[in-house]
Amino acid sequence: MVFLSVLIAIYISYSLFEVHRIIVISYDTNLKDLDILAGQNLLFMDTERLEKDLLVKNMVIKKIRLEKRYVNTIIVQTELRIPLVHVVSGNVMGDVDSSGIYTLDAFNSDLPTIQAGGIPIYKDQKADWRIQKSVDMIVDLNKAGLTVRKIEINNNENYFTAYMKDDSIVMVPFTADVLSVAASLQVIISRFRIEGKFVSKVDFRFDKPIVVLSNGDNIYSK
């Protein structure tokens, strides 16, 4: 009799804490796989694992937080990814964050642009490595105080062309280390500004960067 009473108590407790209501607080109204929360029991729910599972299915979301509200409610709160650059590939376009993950469509004309040529872009996947490297270049150049307006990915010749805010052009091979490029470019531009000269183009595709000044002079920078 005692054993039966225990079973009944367990059953009532389990049923009482079963999720019957899901409250979503998010700008994205198309969250996928929320049905995995239905029928979960708040007492035994592994919120950390479920958050990771939901993030895999909703890559436009940067962070998902599940909050238990007893006795039978779960609250879903999300943090959207912040768009950093606008990517254009043929007729397809989208914004990506610093991790190369596509965000919700919200075109911002103030964002720098990546012209990706024929590289396919998919809204539910991480960006191609060439797009990601372009994003890294924009981030690292910004940290060095250098603002990029646009980057073109030249697939046929394996290099990037960066168009800077000051109208200078920077050419970088696919194999280059973007941190080193940012540091070198900062030094080059600062050096010539001190001399009262202005850089119109820097080409990093050679052993020593070729610097073209606004007056047309070519210089091999150390």
Side-chain angles (χ1 to χ4, degrees):
M1 188 69 178
V2 173
F3 178 71
L4 181 60
S5 298
V6 171
L7 286 178
I8 293 173
I10 292 174
Y11 174 77
I12 292 174
S13 298
Y14 192 90
S15 300
L16 182 64
F17 293 104
E18 184 177 309
V19 173
H20 293 297
R21 186 170 62 162
I22 302 172
I23 299 174
V24 180
I25 304 174
S26 175
Y27 283 103
D28 185 5
T29 58
N30 297 307
L31 293 179
K32 301 175 183 176
D33 272 23
L34 284 180
D35 54 337
I36 66 174
L37 301 177
Q40 294 276 346
N41 189 281
L42 293 184
L43 294 176
F44 308 105
M45 177 184 288
D46 185 347
T47 55
E48 185 175 343
R49 178 183 62 80
L50 289 169
E51 288 168 354
K52 290 179 180 177
D53 290 344
L54 287 170
L55 281 174
V56 170
K57 297 294 184 178
N58 298 275
M59 293 190 70
V60 296
I61 302 298
K62 182 179 181 180
K63 185 176 181 181
I64 292 179
R65 180 172 176 267
L66 301 179
E67 180 183 346
K68 300 177 181 179
R69 287 289 179 89
Y70 294 97
V71 290
N72 58 13
T73 300
I74 189 78
I75 297 178
V76 182
Q77 298 186 66
T78 68
E79 180 182 336
L80 295 180
R81 296 184 178 278
I82 299 174
L84 180 70
V85 300
H86 186 66
V87 180
V88 179
S89 180
N91 295 325
V92 183
M93 59 185 65
D95 296 338
V96 302
D97 70 350
S98 58
S99 300
I101 305 296
Y102 290 95
T103 65
L104 291 178
D105 292 329
F107 177 64
N108 183 346
S109 59
D110 294 330
L111 295 178
T113 300
I114 296 174
Q115 293 285 350
I119 300 173
I121 61 176
Y122 304 100
K123 300 298 178 66
D124 58 346
Q125 297 180 20
K126 189 169 182 177
D128 177 271
W129 70 269
R130 290 160 291 187
I131 296 175
Q132 178 63 65
K133 195 157 188 175
S134 300
V135 172
D136 294 341
M137 196 184 310
I138 290 171
V139 171
D140 291 334
L141 288 172
N142 281 343
K143 289 179 180 178
L146 306 169
T147 304
V148 179
R149 292 189 295 104
K150 182 176 71 173
I151 288 181
E152 290 180 353
I153 301 175
N154 305 288
N155 289 307
N156 294 334
E157 300 181 55
N158 299 326
Y159 71 91
F160 306 98
T161 303
Y163 297 87
M164 311 301 291
K165 185 179 179 181
D166 63 0
D167 293 328
S168 61
I169 297 173
V170 182
M171 305 169 81
V172 181
F174 283 173
T175 55
D177 178 75
V178 292
L179 273 173
S180 297
V181 167
S184 297
L185 186 61
Q186 184 183 40
V187 171
I188 290 169
I189 291 176
S190 298
R191 168 194 163 192
F192 285 107
R193 280 181 179 169
I194 291 173
E195 297 176 6
K197 300 173 182 177
F198 297 92
V199 173
S200 64
K201 182 167 73 174
V202 182
D203 195 337
F204 285 95
R205 294 177 296 169
F206 306 93
D207 292 339
K208 296 180 180 179
I210 298 177
V211 180
V212 180
L213 300 180
S214 56
N215 62 4
D217 289 345
N218 287 11
I219 299 172
Y220 288 89
S221 177
K222 295 182 180 179

